[in-house]
Amino acid sequence: MSSFHHELIRRNPGEPEFHQATLEVLETLAPVLAARPEIAAAKLVERICEPERQIMFRVPWQDDAGEIHINRGFRVEFNSALGPYKGGLRFHPSVNLGIVKFLGFEQIFKNALTGLNIGGGKGGSDFDPHGRSDAEVMRFCQSFMTELHRHLGEHTDVPAGDIGVGGREIGFMFGQYRRITNRWEAGILTGKGLQWGGSHARTEATGYGNVLFTAEMLKQRGEDLDGQQVTVSGSGNVAIYTIEKAQALGANVLTCSDSGGYIVDEKGIDLALLKEIKEVERGRISEYAERRGASATYVPGGSVWDVPADVALPSATQNELDGDAARTLVRAGVKAVSEGANMPATPEAVTVLREAGVAFGPGKAANAGGVATSALEMRQNSGRESWTFERAEGELAEIMRGIHATCFETAERYGAPGDYVVGANIAGFERVADAMLEQGLI
Ligand code: GLU
């Protein structure tokens, strides 16, 4: 296996996040490969690490002053054994092929764990929406979709949002798709507006799902979220709805953050104020402390993981919680850490937390609620239905309980009780591998 990963690094140079994400999965597969020689013989690990298709394209657009910009667009269609490629689009200056491949690779297993029929893909651009006007964002989205549209289809590839892509961007992209194709095809994107094919609870789903997954992990240990001190990083869509659900379950959420620093609010985060600043004004969290009063402090720079907590929910971005941060959390007595973002804990952090016996929810399992609710949106679209919030949220809760049970039972079956990393990787892998075995050499 290590010689294969060596070869993978050689063939995919300059993509450290992709190397990290693949190694983390490969390291846990030994027991399933030993138990199932037909999987090794069919070279399924090697096949799954190679994307089915990778698309890169030019995205030219003009800013409000008339200046021309050229960004790069990506869509990596990684695996469609279980269903159409499914996964978000990320607009952030850090986006490159390696980042999109790491996200697409994770998405394969995450989507498999939901138990629904969705394959894995991811895309995006190195476009930076920060500080851009609505008109600039619209022109960018239209240019991006002008190329991407030819690759989409409800049975082929169905993107959604991720960092930098929310309801506004999905709207602009859907409008351009419709205009180019002259077809009102709800099923080509998820995360749509509620009046035109979107699903209730999709906006909330990733954060809500991670909190539900955390509650299931705590329940295994005879605890719940009521009265727990919780720290959350980030202040985007995932962080906001993580805070909302954690508060609803009785937790005291102390923190949020952005790339400039973090907020500690001893009275608990005022979610209405945070939503106003982030969702309406699209501002910075430093403003939160200015407007909240004495209970809140803004700490520029620094690490949000320095704040002692019972439960830590990293909800910002990859590799935001390193080995030192994990040790700090363990010293402060953290009981559970669960990944709302994709791969926020570094490999060293994961080792520290697992060795300390902390309940650790890997993103593939813990943050799968977003994409699962996207699949519910696809189901509503194909039946021309529109479910109530209660129904969509109820199905989400059921799916999260199912993912937790699958990971828990799989870890036990493979001799690693309580290890959700092993459980998630093996259960996700086996479902995809079995589908590929049955479908021939693909
Ligand atoms: N970007 C989200 C994720 O990381 C959601 C993808 C989707 O809904 O297709 O899973």
Side-chain angles (χ1 to χ4, degrees):
M1 187 54 67
S2 67
S3 72
F4 167 63
H5 198 254
H6 197 76
E7 180 63 4
L8 181 145
I9 293 173
R10 193 190 64 74
R11 294 181 70 228
N12 299 274
E15 299 178 355
E17 294 84 3
F18 181 54
H19 306 158
Q20 180 184 334
T22 47
L23 183 62
E24 190 262 345
V25 171
L26 301 192
E27 278 177 342
T28 56
L29 294 183
V32 68
L33 296 178
R36 310 226 4 226
E38 75 278 16
I39 289 186
K43 294 210 171 170
L44 279 159
V45 173
E46 292 85 337
R47 275 196 267 158
I48 288 175
C49 286
E50 186 71 21
E52 289 175 10
R53 192 174 300 105
Q54 304 181 57
I55 302 152
M56 287 172 65
F57 51 96
R58 178 171 67 209
V59 190
W61 60 281
Q62 247 176 331
D63 68 21
D64 289 345
E67 195 186 326
I68 288 171
H69 299 263
I70 297 103
N71 284 102
R72 189 170 289 172
F74 302 89
R75 187 72 181 165
V76 172
E77 299 181 332
F78 224 121
N79 195 299
S80 59
L82 295 176
Y85 308 107
K86 185 82 199 82
L89 298 169
R90 177 177 292 191
F91 291 170
H92 191 270
S94 65
V95 167
N96 56 38
L97 184 60
I99 296 269
V100 177
K101 279 165 71 178
F102 121 63
L103 291 164
F105 184 77
E106 293 269 305
Q107 201 83 46
I108 301 170
F109 305 100
K110 184 194 303 193
N111 295 4
L113 281 172
T114 65
L116 305 167
N117 283 112
I118 38 180
K122 202 86 185 193
S125 174
D126 57 1
F127 171 70
D128 186 359
H130 275 288
R132 292 292 173 194
S133 68
D134 285 353
E136 289 173 325
V137 170
M138 181 177 74
R139 284 196 292 277
F140 175 82
C141 289
Q142 290 180 337
S143 183
F144 185 85
M145 186 51 94
T146 300
E147 176 56 32
L148 187 68
H149 87 276
R150 70 189 82 248
H151 305 288
L152 305 187
E154 72 171 302
H155 304 296
T156 308
D157 188 352
V158 187
D162 196 84
I163 294 171
V165 177
R168 173 182 63 169
E169 292 75 17
I170 294 291
F172 293 151
M173 286 191 275
F174 187 78
Q176 183 72 350
Y177 180 93
R178 199 165 54 69
R179 186 181 183 208
I180 292 172
T181 60
N182 192 31
R183 290 167 69 91
W184 200 95
E185 292 181 85
I188 57 104
L189 282 175
T190 60
K192 299 181 294 293
L194 292 176
Q195 300 304 320
W196 43 278
S199 175
H200 280 294
R202 175 62 191 90
T203 306
E204 296 83 355
T206 311
Y208 278 23
N210 188 27
V211 175
L212 296 172
F213 190 88
T214 305
E216 287 293 311
M217 290 200 299
L218 289 172
K219 197 164 128 197
Q220 277 300 326
R221 300 175 168 220
E223 296 208 50
D224 60 28
L225 273 163
D226 194 20
Q228 308 274 12
Q229 305 295 315
V230 173
T231 48
V232 172
S233 63
S235 50
N237 168 272
V238 179
I240 285 175
Y241 293 97
T242 296
I243 296 170
E244 187 164 286
K245 188 50 113 186
Q247 290 178 338
L249 296 182
N252 185 30
V253 184
L254 295 166
T255 64
C256 61
S257 69
D258 64 16
S259 57
Y262 67 90
I263 295 283
V264 193
D265 191 331
E266 297 301 339
K267 279 205 210 147
I269 294 292
D270 176 345
L271 196 58
L273 177 58
L274 184 65
K275 281 186 180 177
E276 174 68 22
I277 291 168
K278 295 301 298 187
E279 292 185 334
V280 182
E281 299 166 18
R282 296 181 189 274
R284 307 294 293 171
I285 53 149
S286 51
E287 292 162 39
Y288 177 95
E290 286 158 26
R291 281 149 71 172
R292 171 72 164 151
S295 70
T297 320
Y298 175 64
V299 184
S303 166
V304 68
W305 312 121
D306 289 342
V307 179
D310 302 312
V311 174
L313 303 173
S315 310
T317 195
Q318 67 271 2
N319 292 328
E320 54 158 313
L321 195 165
D322 63 13
D324 285 341
R327 277 182 283 273
T328 305
L329 284 168
V330 168
R331 268 197 304 276
V334 75
K335 299 172 200 167
V337 176
S338 196
E339 296 187 314
N342 288 311
M343 208 169 73
T346 65
E348 191 192 350
V350 177
T351 304
V352 169
L353 296 168
R354 285 159 85 192
E355 282 175 359
V358 174
F360 176 73
K364 294 184 189 74
N367 72 39
V371 76
T373 309
S374 277
L376 301 180
E377 182 171 329
M378 291 161 72
R379 198 193 294 172
Q380 291 168 75
N381 293 156
S382 64
R384 298 187 190 275
E385 287 178 3
S386 184
W387 301 349
T388 61
F389 189 93
E390 290 67 30
R391 171 153 183 213
E393 194 192 13
E395 299 239 2
L396 165 66
E398 197 57 47
I399 291 167
M400 294 315 298
R401 272 194 291 276
I403 295 172
H404 176 273
T406 300
C407 296
F408 191 81
E409 284 155 19
T410 306
E412 248 179 7
R413 188 149 40 87
Y414 283 95
D419 191 330
Y420 293 95
V421 174
V422 168
N425 287 349
I426 294 185
F429 173 77
E430 271 196 305
R431 185 164 178 236
V432 179
D434 283 336
M436 288 176 75
L437 268 180
E438 289 168 15
Q439 291 175 24
L441 183 52
I442 46 162

